[in-house]
Amino acid sequence: MNKLTKAPADNHAYSSIFQGTGVEDFKKCIQHHLMSFQGRDPDRAGDPDVYRALSYALRDVLMEKWIKTQKTFYAGKMKRVYYLSLEFLVGRSLGNAIINMGLMDEVTQALEQLGYDLETLRECEEDAALGNGGLGRLASCFMDSIATMKIPAYGYGIRYDFGLFNQKIVDGYQVETPDSWLRLGSPWMYERTSFMYPVQFYGHVTPTTDTDGRYRARWSDTQIVMAMACDMLVPGFGNDHVINMRLWRAKASRELDLSFFNAGNYISAVESKVKSETISKVLYPSDDISEGQELRLKQQYFFVAATFQDILRRYRKENDTFDDFPNQVAVQLNDTHPAIAIPELMRLLMDIEGLGWERAWNICVHTFAYTNHTLMPEALETWPVDMLGRVLPRHLEIIYEINRRFLEEVAIRYPGNVRKLQEMSLIDEGPVRRVRMANLAIVGSHSVNGVAALHTELLKNYLFRNFHEMYPERINSKTNGITPRRWLLKCNPALAELIGEKIGYDWVVALDKLRALESLAEESEFRQRWRQVKLANKKRLAKLIASTCEVTVNPDTMFDIQVKRIHEYKRQLLNVLHVIHLYQRLITRPDEPAIPRTVIFAGKAAPSYHKAKLIIKLINSVGAVVNNDPRVGDRLKVVFIPNYCVSLAERIMPAADLSEQISTAGTEASGTGNMKFALNGALTIGTLDGANIEIREEVGEDNIFIFGMTAEEAEYEKKCKSRKPWQIYEKNSEVREIIDTIRGGAFSSGNTELFRPLVEDLLSENDPYLLLLDLESYLRCQRQVEEVYADEDTWTRRSILNVARMGKFSSDRTIKEYAEEIWGVKIGERN
């Protein structure tokens, strides 16, 4: 039994908060839910049945605490925070709920007495993959921290029927299949049929005037889709605070069109229902066709419109006017996806509530805050004016008026500066006129934050330079963080237990307490136990690789891991070039000392991102050659683990020796994978990009491997091209050998055309990600990695120090900064 589940009674951080919920109680509750909820004979129930019964039993306890939590919000007349995100990458809920509720011992014993194993039951749960990557996972970490810190808040998003696609690897290629995570339902979700709101689309706007002669608009002849609330409960750790994510599901405004049905046209009778409910079917519909773009716009407005009806319902319970709205409501826009909320609130305040423009705008700006997550201008969301005007005609009118008034301010501030007017306008007057959602979010918010120190400086000095000049106090930095509950306590229980045994358990809610590990790094016995934990985690991952990839890997080799979304700027291709270099060294210089490595990749490429999918093919093709070459043996293996998701990450992170964080400097806003790996004892090899810079500051330059250009140097090379990739290719024989091997078809059965697009990009002067310009530095740095890894004690000491110095990167710290500096809400006292 993990000692962390039975901490000393005086340890407030891990004492059970649900007194009276004992082993017998759980056994009875599980059996009750098997019979009454599922109609199953407890003597004949299988693992999936018991998983659901256990989940329902825990949900009962959570609901009781959620009701009490909501009552404290109302009794204290607390300001509420509304976190709007199109993505929540939740993963699995069962293990996290048990840990946060402090019920591991009771649940484990109850299941054992019933003849079931908790770990087996946890595998029955489908990942709730309601997000694409870091953005959605960050949102879920934030929900955990908000609940743990007892902040009155809600998460709002969409309950997608199909999450991020399931990924299969067929002949080395990514193949996408639907992720029907709800095919058996979810015991963690409440469908709230009593909370159903109409959402309008299309129609036309009729101008009117009110009794005071002020302009008003009537939006009529619209198509109506109903938004039904679905709640997922989020328990705080070691307290009785339970909040919820409210995810909206699209429902038809009427089930059947009887006029069609009575005429014998059944298909037309249900067509409207099917079209309406498509809105919440799929996460990120393909946006390379206009129909997909329009559906994505409708998704964004759908969840925003429903959310604000819910916010106003809650606000009106205690308020008759909107005078106190910004003092009672804080809305955080997680990227530009919910930015349509700004004209939506303006519409509600003016057209429905009768407020004038100036008063409504003042409320909006003081209510909204915007988090930016990208440094690449092409990734900033825009919408065609024609499309937005057709789908949301009233909102386009309001955006035009916001823009007119804003540009008047710009013209007064910068008289005669036409370029600033063009760059800062909410409308891009290109061949296809488009609404710039980032500009709208900046103008309509009182706070705009980056997610790492470097990212924020680049926002101020480059991407949003004009806005920073105009609003010098508006842009601020909130470095991302991760929840230590999921990303150490839950995913790496053996390491968590070792740490807890030595320094106690307060670090679970105060991650900077890990600093106490620093002195232990000098103890040989502790280092030995540290290595034993790492080896056990590597053996567990090796077993998974054998079963899913049919590749046998040696846990005694260095596990060199890069897992994240497959994208050119994240430079998985750079990693592959190094793998090819290692392979060539082993073949041409077999007697040269080399550290045995297992290089592990995982991640999904967007279905329409053909270059990223070709990189996946190259990884698998290189692996097929390397893994089957008898001259190599266990000295080098290459593995691509399919279908990367949160639950898979929880197995991968604890097993890593080396964490690859190698994006082109100036492209990664922050990253949180780098934090998760380091918190689990991996050493980082990376560029000075995103949060890598702050990780280096915290762990020390000796405990991280840094290579490549800085963001300033990368920007200079993009503009001036002082070094040409082909020059590097010609002068460096190692680089030339790597490129020629790919180009010659060594990894494509002699096919010289298959990977030609990748080779051409590598040698192009216009490669925006500068791979060859960083490759030489990367190869040298990897040699340093080998030298350090060869010294077992030195590597372990640095691993311990990485964990000890990760306190800054807790999402608790991040949320504390949001609460105090942006939202203006108080953090609750822990029990």
Side-chain angles (χ1 to χ4, degrees):
M1 186 68 61
N2 188 332
K3 294 178 183 177
L4 277 173
T5 65
K6 202 67 175 177
D10 60 349
N11 181 355
H12 70 274
Y14 220 92
S15 58
S16 175
I17 59 169
F18 300 106
Q19 301 298 331
T21 309
V23 174
E24 289 302 317
D25 296 311
F26 264 112
K27 288 168 62 178
K28 291 177 182 177
C29 200
I30 290 169
Q31 292 171 325
H32 166 73
H33 281 295
L34 279 170
M35 290 186 291
S36 65
F37 272 45
Q38 298 167 251
R40 297 291 292 171
D41 178 351
D43 294 332
R44 294 177 175 270
D47 289 336
D49 302 314
V50 178
Y51 152 70
R52 296 176 69 81
L54 172 60
S55 300
Y56 284 128
L58 292 168
R59 198 181 72 169
D60 287 348
V61 182
L62 288 175
M63 176 49 64
E64 178 186 344
K65 299 299 177 183
W66 178 81
I67 291 171
K68 291 181 179 178
T69 299
Q70 294 299 307
K71 288 180 177 179
T72 65
F73 293 171
Y74 285 107
K77 297 184 177 179
M78 298 177 180
K79 182 177 185 178
R80 320 286 181 91
V81 176
Y82 299 92
Y83 193 85
L84 274 59
S85 180
L86 201 60
E87 300 183 34
F88 286 98
L89 196 55
V90 179
R92 293 172 174 170
S93 296
L94 177 59
N96 200 66
I98 293 171
I99 287 173
N100 278 15
M101 295 163 73
L103 293 171
M104 184 64 79
D105 274 357
E106 292 86 344
V107 170
T108 303
Q109 291 175 34
L111 291 173
E112 287 177 350
Q113 291 178 23
L114 291 171
Y116 295 93
D117 174 66
L118 177 58
E119 287 305 308
T120 303
L121 298 188
R122 284 166 64 168
E123 290 300 311
C124 296
E125 182 177 0
E126 295 278 353
D127 271 58
L130 308 182
N132 185 44
L135 181 81
R137 186 52 237 169
L138 178 75
S140 293
C141 281
F142 280 4
M143 289 297 103
D144 179 89
S145 287
I146 286 170
T148 297
M149 302 179 78
K150 302 182 75 171
I151 292 172
Y154 309 82
Y156 277 94
I158 294 178
R159 197 217 73 168
Y160 302 101
D161 290 358
F162 296 88
L164 190 61
F165 61 86
N166 279 320
Q167 179 196 56
K168 295 183 178 179
I169 301 299
V170 179
D171 192 26
Y173 290 96
Q174 170 179 295
V175 176
E176 304 92 20
T177 60
D179 171 38
S180 182
W181 74 286
L182 285 171
R183 64 186 181 278
L184 299 177
S186 172
W188 298 102
M189 187 168 290
Y190 285 96
E191 291 195 346
R192 303 284 202 176
T193 54
S194 57
F195 293 111
M196 192 99 73
Y197 299 111
V199 178
Q200 299 172 274
F201 297 101
Y202 307 111
H204 63 267
V205 179
T206 304
T208 63
T209 56
D210 62 15
T211 55
D212 297 322
R214 292 178 298 189
Y215 174 84
R216 290 287 176 264
R218 185 172 67 251
W219 187 13
S220 57
D221 297 328
T222 57
Q223 292 183 12
I224 305 294
V225 177
M226 303 303 293
M228 184 178 75
C230 301
D231 287 353
M232 293 186 75
L233 304 183
V234 182
F237 176 84
N239 61 28
D240 57 357
H241 194 81
V242 177
I243 62 171
N244 64 291
M245 294 185 298
R246 178 152 288 182
L247 308 178
W248 299 105
R249 179 185 179 189
K251 300 283 286 182
S253 57
R254 54 182 176 177
E255 291 295 301
L256 202 65
D257 191 321
L258 287 177
S259 62
F260 282 113
F261 186 81
N262 292 334
N265 191 340
Y266 177 75
I267 299 299
S268 295
V270 298
E271 185 177 29
S272 176
K273 170 181 169 61
V274 172
K275 285 184 177 179
S276 297
E277 296 180 358
T278 298
I279 290 176
S280 62
K281 286 291 182 187
V282 181
L283 169 73
Y284 285 155
S286 177
D287 59 1
D288 54 355
I289 56 174
S290 61
E291 290 83 357
Q293 294 173 15
E294 184 168 313
L295 177 55
R296 189 163 174 178
L297 173 61
K298 291 172 73 174
Q299 285 183 332
Q300 294 182 6
Y301 179 65
F302 167 77
F303 102 88
V304 159
T307 296
F308 269 89
Q309 291 180 71
D310 210 37
I311 291 172
L312 292 181
R313 171 192 62 81
R314 202 172 283 123
Y315 177 79
R316 288 193 188 99
K317 288 183 179 181
E318 303 287 340
N319 299 274
D320 296 324
T321 73
F322 285 87
D323 295 343
D324 207 34
F325 194 81
N327 297 321
Q328 292 295 314
V329 174
V331 178
Q332 189 71 39
L333 306 176
N334 193 28
D335 216 344
T336 54
H337 308 136
I340 198 69
I342 295 170
E344 170 65 3
L345 182 55
M346 288 294 290
R347 182 187 74 85
L348 292 171
L349 293 176
M350 293 189 302
D351 298 352
I352 307 301
E353 304 296 338
L355 275 64
W357 181 280
E358 289 78 10
R359 188 178 169 204
W361 183 247
N362 184 62
I363 290 171
C364 274
V365 172
H366 285 88
T367 298
F368 288 109
Y370 158 54
T371 300
N372 173 272
H373 285 278
T374 184
L375 285 163
M376 292 180 280
E378 64 271 17
L380 293 176
E381 196 168 46
T382 64
W383 292 110
V385 164
D386 289 346
M387 178 186 292
L388 200 149
R390 182 176 68 258
V391 178
L392 302 170
R394 177 56 177 146
H395 296 76
L396 183 61
E397 283 188 355
I398 292 171
I399 290 169
Y400 276 149
E401 182 62 15
I402 293 171
N403 195 44
R404 184 188 71 78
R405 291 170 181 251
F406 170 65
L407 291 182
E408 284 181 356
E409 290 183 41
V410 176
I412 294 171
R413 180 77 177 271
Y414 305 102
N417 195 329
V418 177
R419 183 174 178 179
K420 277 198 183 292
L421 290 171
Q422 293 172 337
E423 291 177 350
M424 299 178 75
S425 174
L426 274 56
I427 309 297
D428 178 358
E429 302 287 352
V432 176
R433 300 177 71 237
R434 305 182 72 90
V435 179
R436 295 164 167 159
M437 301 306 285
N439 291 20
L440 173 63
I442 295 169
V443 172
S445 301
H446 68 275
S447 168
V448 177
N449 72 278
V451 290
L454 173 64
H455 173 222
T456 304
E457 288 307 305
L458 292 173
L459 291 181
K460 291 179 178 179
N461 298 324
Y462 295 98
L463 198 60
F464 298 146
R465 181 184 65 255
N466 290 326
F467 291 99
H468 180 53
E469 290 178 2
M470 184 126 178
Y471 305 117
E473 305 300 321
R474 189 161 294 189
I475 300 178
N476 59 89
S477 180
K478 299 289 176 283
T479 298
N480 284 343
I482 58 174
T483 167
R485 272 76 64 183
R486 183 178 289 264
W487 294 111
L488 179 51
L489 184 61
K490 178 178 183 287
C491 75
N492 201 343
L495 184 62
E497 182 176 354
L498 175 60
I499 293 170
E501 177 187 318
K502 291 292 184 179
I503 67 171
Y505 307 107
D506 284 347
W507 58 268
V508 179
V509 290
L511 199 59
D512 54 355
K513 301 281 187 181
L514 290 176
R515 282 277 178 176
L517 289 172
E518 288 193 20
S519 61
L520 296 171
E522 301 306 318
E523 296 182 7
S524 60
E525 181 184 353
F526 184 75
R527 292 197 300 270
Q528 178 62 28
R529 293 183 63 187
W530 192 272
R531 286 192 291 270
Q532 289 172 351
V533 168
K534 179 65 72 175
L535 181 60
N537 289 330
K538 292 167 72 173
K539 287 179 178 179
R540 184 176 69 154
L541 182 58
K543 185 177 180 181
L544 184 148
I545 290 170
S547 64
T548 59
C549 306
E550 298 183 349
V551 177
T552 301
V553 301
N554 184 353
D556 290 321
T557 61
M558 177 201 293
F559 275 22
D560 176 353
I561 301 182
Q562 185 177 19
V563 292
K564 54 183 73 234
R565 182 165 51 96
I566 308 296
H567 196 290
E568 289 172 275
Y569 89 83
K570 294 179 182 290
R571 300 204 294 192
Q572 285 90 353
L573 183 54
L574 186 65
N575 193 348
V576 179
L577 298 181
H578 173 244
V579 171
I580 295 171
H581 172 67
L582 291 176
Y583 176 58
Q584 290 168 339
R585 277 175 53 195
L586 291 172
I587 298 304
T588 61
R589 302 187 293 277
D591 296 329
E592 182 178 302
I595 294 296
R597 291 195 195 218
T598 298
V599 184
I600 299 169
F601 297 86
K604 297 178 180 180
S608 60
Y609 193 171
H610 301 296
K611 195 68 65 67
K613 295 173 83 168
L614 188 58
I615 291 171
I616 291 176
K617 171 60 175 174
L618 178 60
I619 293 169
N620 284 293
S621 296
V622 170
V625 172
V626 171
N627 298 342
N628 293 292
D629 192 328
R631 296 170 295 178
V632 175
D634 282 347
R635 292 184 295 170
L636 181 63
K637 294 287 186 182
V638 182
V639 178
F640 188 97
I641 306 177
N643 206 38
Y644 186 56
C645 57
V646 174
S647 57
L648 184 55
E650 291 175 15
R651 293 192 176 189
I652 292 174
M653 305 288 183
D657 293 307
L658 185 67
S659 162
E660 299 270 354
Q661 308 296 330
I662 58 178
S663 54
T664 310
T667 59
E668 185 74 83
S670 172
T672 55
N674 46 9
M675 304 170 191
K676 294 163 191 167
F677 276 115
L679 185 59
N680 282 276
L683 271 60
T684 302
I685 182 170
T687 52
L688 289 174
D689 195 29
N692 288 353
I693 295 172
E694 289 161 87
I695 290 176
R696 182 181 68 162
E697 291 172 354
E698 294 297 312
V699 305
E701 292 185 10
D702 292 339
N703 301 309
I704 190 171
F705 301 98
I706 297 296
F707 73 94
M709 292 172 283
T710 64
E712 293 78 9
E713 291 167 341
E715 189 64 26
Y716 174 81
E717 287 296 341
K718 289 176 186 178
K719 292 179 180 178
C720 301
K721 297 179 172 59
S722 68
R723 299 167 62 218
K724 309 292 195 300
W726 62 266
Q727 292 174 331
I728 296 169
Y729 167 83
E730 288 185 348
K731 292 179 180 179
N732 189 313
S733 60
E734 290 184 335
V735 171
R736 186 166 60 252
E737 189 176 356
I738 295 168
I739 301 299
D740 287 349
T741 303
I742 301 173
R743 182 157 53 185
F747 304 109
S748 49
S749 302
N751 182 346
T752 58
E753 292 299 312
L754 179 57
F755 299 121
R756 182 177 176 180
L758 299 181
V759 172
E760 289 178 347
D761 284 350
L762 287 168
L763 295 174
S764 170
E765 294 182 14
N766 297 315
D767 171 22
Y769 306 115
L770 310 173
L771 273 79
L772 284 199
L773 271 64
D774 266 353
L775 179 57
E776 293 170 302
S777 176
Y778 182 52
L779 296 180
R780 287 193 299 270
C781 194
Q782 287 282 14
R783 290 289 186 111
Q784 295 173 16
V785 170
E786 291 186 2
E787 292 171 5
V788 177
Y789 192 79
D791 185 336
E792 190 176 62
D793 273 340
T794 298
W795 186 275
T796 307
R797 187 179 293 108
R798 294 185 180 188
S799 171
I800 295 168
L801 292 176
N802 264 263
V803 176
R805 296 170 180 175
M806 287 301 291
K808 175 179 179 178
F809 302 103
S810 169
S811 52
D812 296 348
R813 185 268 315 153
T814 312
I815 288 300
K816 182 174 185 291
E817 292 178 3
Y818 274 98
E820 294 176 349
E821 300 170 21
I822 297 178
W823 302 333
V825 296
K826 293 182 179 180
I827 296 170
E829 294 182 4
R830 291 190 57 77
N831 291 357

PDB file of all heavy atoms in Angstrom, residues 63 66 190-196 227-231 233 244 246:
ATOM      1  N   MET A  63     -20.935  15.191  -5.287  1.00  0.00           N
ATOM      2  CA  MET A  63     -22.104  16.053  -5.468  1.00  0.00           C
ATOM      3  C   MET A  63     -22.533  16.690  -4.154  1.00  0.00           C
ATOM      4  O   MET A  63     -22.898  17.868  -4.098  1.00  0.00           O
ATOM      5  CB  MET A  63     -23.246  15.247  -6.088  1.00  0.00           C
ATOM      6  CG  MET A  63     -24.554  16.027  -6.239  1.00  0.00           C
ATOM      7  SD  MET A  63     -24.382  17.674  -7.008  1.00  0.00           S
ATOM      8  CE  MET A  63     -23.822  17.236  -8.642  1.00  0.00           C
ATOM      9  N   TRP A  66     -20.183  19.442  -3.613  1.00  0.00           N
ATOM     10  CA  TRP A  66     -20.380  20.518  -4.591  1.00  0.00           C
ATOM     11  C   TRP A  66     -21.549  21.417  -4.168  1.00  0.00           C
ATOM     12  O   TRP A  66     -21.453  22.653  -4.246  1.00  0.00           O
ATOM     13  CB  TRP A  66     -20.666  19.923  -5.975  1.00  0.00           C
ATOM     14  CG  TRP A  66     -20.918  20.958  -7.030  1.00  0.00           C
ATOM     15  CD1 TRP A  66     -19.986  21.674  -7.724  1.00  0.00           C
ATOM     16  CD2 TRP A  66     -22.197  21.412  -7.501  1.00  0.00           C
ATOM     17  NE1 TRP A  66     -20.602  22.543  -8.604  1.00  0.00           N
ATOM     18  CE2 TRP A  66     -21.959  22.397  -8.486  1.00  0.00           C
ATOM     19  CE3 TRP A  66     -23.507  21.076  -7.191  1.00  0.00           C
ATOM     20  CZ2 TRP A  66     -22.998  23.038  -9.168  1.00  0.00           C
ATOM     21  CZ3 TRP A  66     -24.548  21.722  -7.858  1.00  0.00           C
ATOM     22  CH2 TRP A  66     -24.276  22.684  -8.837  1.00  0.00           C
ATOM     23  N   TYR A 190     -22.858  14.885 -15.325  1.00  0.00           N
ATOM     24  CA  TYR A 190     -24.286  15.094 -15.104  1.00  0.00           C
ATOM     25  C   TYR A 190     -24.861  15.860 -16.296  1.00  0.00           C
ATOM     26  O   TYR A 190     -24.339  16.926 -16.666  1.00  0.00           O
ATOM     27  CB  TYR A 190     -24.527  15.947 -13.858  1.00  0.00           C
ATOM     28  CG  TYR A 190     -24.336  15.245 -12.544  1.00  0.00           C
ATOM     29  CD1 TYR A 190     -23.135  15.344 -11.852  1.00  0.00           C
ATOM     30  CD2 TYR A 190     -25.370  14.512 -11.971  1.00  0.00           C
ATOM     31  CE1 TYR A 190     -22.962  14.723 -10.625  1.00  0.00           C
ATOM     32  CE2 TYR A 190     -25.211  13.886 -10.740  1.00  0.00           C
ATOM     33  CZ  TYR A 190     -24.005  13.993 -10.075  1.00  0.00           C
ATOM     34  OH  TYR A 190     -23.844  13.383  -8.853  1.00  0.00           O
ATOM     35  N   GLU A 191     -25.926  15.354 -16.876  1.00  0.00           N
ATOM     36  CA  GLU A 191     -26.648  16.121 -17.889  1.00  0.00           C
ATOM     37  C   GLU A 191     -27.735  16.929 -17.182  1.00  0.00           C
ATOM     38  O   GLU A 191     -28.617  16.369 -16.521  1.00  0.00           O
ATOM     39  CB  GLU A 191     -27.258  15.198 -18.939  1.00  0.00           C
ATOM     40  CG  GLU A 191     -26.208  14.539 -19.824  1.00  0.00           C
ATOM     41  CD  GLU A 191     -26.798  13.924 -21.072  1.00  0.00           C
ATOM     42  OE1 GLU A 191     -28.046  13.773 -21.135  1.00  0.00           O
ATOM     43  OE2 GLU A 191     -26.035  13.611 -22.001  1.00  0.00           O
ATOM     44  N   ARG A 192     -27.643  18.255 -17.320  1.00  0.00           N
ATOM     45  CA  ARG A 192     -28.546  19.159 -16.595  1.00  0.00           C
ATOM     46  C   ARG A 192     -29.668  19.616 -17.530  1.00  0.00           C
ATOM     47  O   ARG A 192     -29.586  20.699 -18.132  1.00  0.00           O
ATOM     48  CB  ARG A 192     -27.770  20.380 -16.102  1.00  0.00           C
ATOM     49  CG  ARG A 192     -26.583  20.038 -15.230  1.00  0.00           C
ATOM     50  CD  ARG A 192     -27.023  19.644 -13.854  1.00  0.00           C
ATOM     51  NE  ARG A 192     -25.955  19.819 -12.868  1.00  0.00           N
ATOM     52  CZ  ARG A 192     -26.111  19.608 -11.588  1.00  0.00           C
ATOM     53  NH1 ARG A 192     -27.286  19.247 -11.130  1.00  0.00           N
ATOM     54  NH2 ARG A 192     -25.100  19.768 -10.758  1.00  0.00           N
ATOM     55  N   THR A 193     -30.684  18.820 -17.668  1.00  0.00           N
ATOM     56  CA  THR A 193     -31.764  19.180 -18.588  1.00  0.00           C
ATOM     57  C   THR A 193     -32.521  20.428 -18.137  1.00  0.00           C
ATOM     58  O   THR A 193     -33.218  21.049 -18.935  1.00  0.00           O
ATOM     59  CB  THR A 193     -32.753  18.008 -18.717  1.00  0.00           C
ATOM     60  OG1 THR A 193     -33.201  17.619 -17.413  1.00  0.00           O
ATOM     61  CG2 THR A 193     -32.084  16.819 -19.385  1.00  0.00           C
ATOM     62  N   SER A 194     -32.369  20.803 -16.880  1.00  0.00           N
ATOM     63  CA  SER A 194     -33.051  22.012 -16.394  1.00  0.00           C
ATOM     64  C   SER A 194     -32.296  23.278 -16.780  1.00  0.00           C
ATOM     65  O   SER A 194     -32.843  24.380 -16.656  1.00  0.00           O
ATOM     66  CB  SER A 194     -33.207  21.949 -14.871  1.00  0.00           C
ATOM     67  OG  SER A 194     -31.949  21.788 -14.246  1.00  0.00           O
ATOM     68  N   PHE A 195     -31.049  23.136 -17.211  1.00  0.00           N
ATOM     69  CA  PHE A 195     -30.284  24.291 -17.671  1.00  0.00           C
ATOM     70  C   PHE A 195     -30.112  24.184 -19.184  1.00  0.00           C
ATOM     71  O   PHE A 195     -29.177  23.569 -19.685  1.00  0.00           O
ATOM     72  CB  PHE A 195     -28.921  24.366 -16.979  1.00  0.00           C
ATOM     73  CG  PHE A 195     -29.003  24.662 -15.514  1.00  0.00           C
ATOM     74  CD1 PHE A 195     -28.660  23.708 -14.569  1.00  0.00           C
ATOM     75  CD2 PHE A 195     -29.442  25.891 -15.062  1.00  0.00           C
ATOM     76  CE1 PHE A 195     -28.733  23.970 -13.215  1.00  0.00           C
ATOM     77  CE2 PHE A 195     -29.536  26.176 -13.705  1.00  0.00           C
ATOM     78  CZ  PHE A 195     -29.188  25.207 -12.773  1.00  0.00           C
ATOM     79  N   MET A 196     -31.066  24.769 -19.895  1.00  0.00           N
ATOM     80  CA  MET A 196     -31.117  24.685 -21.346  1.00  0.00           C
ATOM     81  C   MET A 196     -31.351  26.097 -21.881  1.00  0.00           C
ATOM     82  O   MET A 196     -32.314  26.759 -21.491  1.00  0.00           O
ATOM     83  CB  MET A 196     -32.243  23.755 -21.783  1.00  0.00           C
ATOM     84  CG  MET A 196     -32.215  23.377 -23.224  1.00  0.00           C
ATOM     85  SD  MET A 196     -31.489  21.758 -23.539  1.00  0.00           S
ATOM     86  CE  MET A 196     -32.758  20.655 -22.964  1.00  0.00           C
ATOM     87  N   ALA A 227     -28.657  24.822 -26.002  1.00  0.00           N
ATOM     88  CA  ALA A 227     -27.430  24.407 -25.316  1.00  0.00           C
ATOM     89  C   ALA A 227     -27.815  23.807 -23.975  1.00  0.00           C
ATOM     90  O   ALA A 227     -28.403  24.477 -23.134  1.00  0.00           O
ATOM     91  CB  ALA A 227     -26.491  25.588 -25.118  1.00  0.00           C
ATOM     92  N   MET A 228     -27.488  22.540 -23.788  1.00  0.00           N
ATOM     93  CA  MET A 228     -27.799  21.852 -22.531  1.00  0.00           C
ATOM     94  C   MET A 228     -26.529  21.688 -21.706  1.00  0.00           C
ATOM     95  O   MET A 228     -25.486  21.273 -22.220  1.00  0.00           O
ATOM     96  CB  MET A 228     -28.397  20.478 -22.791  1.00  0.00           C
ATOM     97  CG  MET A 228     -28.840  19.756 -21.528  1.00  0.00           C
ATOM     98  SD  MET A 228     -29.596  18.141 -21.849  1.00  0.00           S
ATOM     99  CE  MET A 228     -28.142  17.175 -22.238  1.00  0.00           C
ATOM    100  N   ALA A 229     -26.612  22.015 -20.432  1.00  0.00           N
ATOM    101  CA  ALA A 229     -25.446  21.949 -19.552  1.00  0.00           C
ATOM    102  C   ALA A 229     -25.118  20.510 -19.184  1.00  0.00           C
ATOM    103  O   ALA A 229     -26.005  19.709 -18.887  1.00  0.00           O
ATOM    104  CB  ALA A 229     -25.702  22.770 -18.289  1.00  0.00           C
ATOM    105  N   CYS A 230     -23.837  20.186 -19.205  1.00  0.00           N
ATOM    106  CA  CYS A 230     -23.321  18.906 -18.729  1.00  0.00           C
ATOM    107  C   CYS A 230     -22.181  19.221 -17.775  1.00  0.00           C
ATOM    108  O   CYS A 230     -21.210  19.879 -18.167  1.00  0.00           O
ATOM    109  CB  CYS A 230     -22.815  18.046 -19.883  1.00  0.00           C
ATOM    110  SG  CYS A 230     -24.056  17.665 -21.130  1.00  0.00           S
ATOM    111  N   ASP A 231     -22.294  18.785 -16.538  1.00  0.00           N
ATOM    112  CA  ASP A 231     -21.314  19.148 -15.507  1.00  0.00           C
ATOM    113  C   ASP A 231     -20.366  18.002 -15.192  1.00  0.00           C
ATOM    114  O   ASP A 231     -20.793  16.855 -15.007  1.00  0.00           O
ATOM    115  CB  ASP A 231     -22.034  19.561 -14.216  1.00  0.00           C
ATOM    116  CG  ASP A 231     -22.692  20.923 -14.323  1.00  0.00           C
ATOM    117  OD1 ASP A 231     -22.468  21.601 -15.345  1.00  0.00           O
ATOM    118  OD2 ASP A 231     -23.430  21.296 -13.395  1.00  0.00           O
ATOM    119  N   LEU A 233     -17.537  17.287 -12.223  1.00  0.00           N
ATOM    120  CA  LEU A 233     -17.131  17.817 -10.931  1.00  0.00           C
ATOM    121  C   LEU A 233     -15.622  17.696 -10.755  1.00  0.00           C
ATOM    122  O   LEU A 233     -15.013  16.711 -11.155  1.00  0.00           O
ATOM    123  CB  LEU A 233     -17.858  17.084  -9.815  1.00  0.00           C
ATOM    124  CG  LEU A 233     -19.391  17.102  -9.900  1.00  0.00           C
ATOM    125  CD1 LEU A 233     -20.006  16.402  -8.699  1.00  0.00           C
ATOM    126  CD2 LEU A 233     -19.919  18.524 -10.028  1.00  0.00           C
ATOM    127  N   ASN A 244     -17.077  22.808 -10.630  1.00  0.00           N
ATOM    128  CA  ASN A 244     -17.502  22.057 -11.809  1.00  0.00           C
ATOM    129  C   ASN A 244     -17.069  22.743 -13.094  1.00  0.00           C
ATOM    130  O   ASN A 244     -16.937  23.963 -13.168  1.00  0.00           O
ATOM    131  CB  ASN A 244     -19.024  21.871 -11.823  1.00  0.00           C
ATOM    132  CG  ASN A 244     -19.791  23.172 -11.937  1.00  0.00           C
ATOM    133  OD1 ASN A 244     -19.796  23.972 -11.002  1.00  0.00           O
ATOM    134  ND2 ASN A 244     -20.432  23.394 -13.070  1.00  0.00           N
ATOM    135  N   ARG A 246     -18.645  23.236 -16.640  1.00  0.00           N
ATOM    136  CA  ARG A 246     -19.943  23.150 -17.303  1.00  0.00           C
ATOM    137  C   ARG A 246     -19.683  23.135 -18.813  1.00  0.00           C
ATOM    138  O   ARG A 246     -19.244  24.125 -19.394  1.00  0.00           O
ATOM    139  CB  ARG A 246     -20.848  24.304 -16.886  1.00  0.00           C
ATOM    140  CG  ARG A 246     -22.206  24.305 -17.581  1.00  0.00           C
ATOM    141  CD  ARG A 246     -23.262  24.972 -16.725  1.00  0.00           C
ATOM    142  NE  ARG A 246     -23.627  24.124 -15.573  1.00  0.00           N
ATOM    143  CZ  ARG A 246     -24.560  24.459 -14.675  1.00  0.00           C
ATOM    144  NH1 ARG A 246     -25.203  25.619 -14.774  1.00  0.00           N
ATOM    145  NH2 ARG A 246     -24.837  23.640 -13.673  1.00  0.00           N
TER     146      ARG A 246
END
